[in-house]
Amino acid sequence: MTAAESFVRVATLGELEEDTPKRVEIDSTPVSLVRTEGEVFAIYDICSHANVSLSEGEVEDCQIECWLHGSSFDLRTGKPSGLPATRPVPVYPVKIEGDGPDAAVLVSVTQES
């Protein structure tokens, strides 16, 4: 399988509200999709500090905040920006195919960024 074949269509741009995480599952991997600052990001949906869904948190300044204890993770790198989390979470490459609200959002969980 080539890298191009490992991308999976998970949504359209129109399905993603600005700064509102959307949880999807790709090959049993929980992923939070976030459209913010003109880009779409894909980050592992489980907080590295507590086993809770990041997609239930809030997005601000290209960070997603865990709703339980307040740890934030950089959507570009997965690195935590403050305690209590100390371990990063995986982030995944995203491709957009097409234009407008019907453009396809594709994510690959086989390769971490």
Side-chain angles (χ1 to χ4, degrees):
M1 181 181 288
T2 68
E5 293 173 326
S6 65
F7 279 83
V8 176
R9 184 186 185 282
V10 292
T12 64
L13 275 180
E15 294 173 322
L16 302 178
E17 294 180 43
E18 188 78 12
D19 296 330
T20 302
K22 176 182 176 75
R23 182 185 169 114
V24 297
E25 208 163 284
I26 305 168
D27 298 330
S28 301
T29 301
V31 175
S32 182
L33 294 176
V34 179
R35 183 178 183 178
T36 189
E37 299 182 9
E39 293 186 64
V40 176
F41 298 94
I43 189 167
Y44 187 66
D45 192 45
I46 305 300
C47 178
S48 63
H49 169 257
N51 190 25
V52 297
S53 176
L54 291 176
S55 62
E56 295 177 29
E58 295 186 10
V59 174
E60 187 176 332
D61 296 329
C62 216
Q63 306 244 348
I64 190 167
E65 182 181 65
C66 176
W67 61 269
L68 187 59
H69 295 116
S71 289
S72 289
F73 297 88
D74 189 303
L75 291 168
R76 298 166 291 237
T77 65
K79 292 180 181 173
S81 59
L83 297 173
T86 57
R87 291 176 290 128
V89 294
V91 294
Y92 306 104
V94 175
K95 290 199 302 190
I96 307 296
E97 291 184 348
D99 294 311
D102 292 330
V105 178
L106 299 100
V107 176
S108 173
V109 294
T110 58
Q111 30 175 207
E112 295 177 15
S113 295

